[in-house]
Amino acid sequence: MKNAVSLMAVLFVSAFVAPAAQAAGNIECSLRYDLSGWSVFYKTASGTGTITCDNGMRMPVTLKVKGGGLTVGKSKIVDGTGRFSGAYSPDDLFGTYAAVSAHAGAVRSSGAVAMTKGDISLALAGTGKGWDLGIDGTAFTIERR
């Protein structure tokens, strides 16, 4: 009986604690990254970066881009930035985001793209070197390094 009362007390308290963590709100996180790749109908790129959150967490990450469409080019982005929204935990940030983009640039170009993964959004901006032209669908994957 004493164990049953203890179990009920734990369940009662946890019913209020779990929603409180969610109710605490979204965390604010940003991404700094370097990325390089190429495309000829098929688009591929890879790079590295660091996610920094307002709760003090810093996480090194690996980035992979795969996609395709009517696209051709070669580019390199150095010191790009990104801002996440909709995350409750740093673990929410990892995975594959989807985006559709149109792009054109020569020598020095800049661009911005917004992408989603369920309720999580990521807005990227960067300036790079290279050239590109096209319209494509892209899968942008973030993994722990």
Side-chain angles (χ1 to χ4, degrees), residues 13-40:
V13 169
S14 66
F16 291 99
V17 172
Q22 193 103 333
N26 296 354
I27 59 171
E28 296 289 325
C29 297
S30 61
L31 171 67
R32 292 274 233 204
Y33 68 96
D34 297 330
L35 189 68
S36 63
W38 57 269
S39 65
V40 177

Side-chain angles (χ1 to χ4, degrees), residues 12 20 26 82 108 121 137 144:
F12 180 77
N26 296 354
R108 289 192 60 73
S121 296
R144 292 181 192 273

Side-chain angles (χ1 to χ4, degrees), residues 38-45 65-72 99-103 133-140:
W38 57 269
S39 65
V40 177
F41 297 108
Y42 179 76
K43 181 177 185 177
T44 185
V65 177
K66 303 272 187 223
L70 300 174
T71 180
V72 62
V100 175
S101 65
H103 47 90
L133 177 64
I135 299 171
D136 60 60
T138 303
F140 185 90

Side-chain angles (χ1 to χ4, degrees), residues 7-108:
L7 178 61
M8 298 264 303
V10 168
L11 291 174
F12 180 77
V13 169
S14 66
F16 291 99
V17 172
Q22 193 103 333
N26 296 354
I27 59 171
E28 296 289 325
C29 297
S30 61
L31 171 67
R32 292 274 233 204
Y33 68 96
D34 297 330
L35 189 68
S36 63
W38 57 269
S39 65
V40 177
F41 297 108
Y42 179 76
K43 181 177 185 177
T44 185
S46 61
T48 59
T50 302
I51 295 174
T52 305
C53 298
D54 64 354
N55 64 3
M57 291 194 82
R58 290 178 52 87
M59 300 166 286
V61 295
T62 299
L63 309 172
K64 295 178 187 170
V65 177
K66 303 272 187 223
L70 300 174
T71 180
V72 62
K74 182 177 180 180
S75 62
K76 181 176 186 175
I77 296 172
V78 177
D79 204 25
T81 61
R83 171 106 18 233
F84 295 93
S85 62
Y88 289 98
S89 160
D91 291 332
D92 294 343
L93 307 175
F94 299 103
T96 301
Y97 295 75
V100 175
S101 65
H103 47 90
V107 184
R108 289 192 60 73

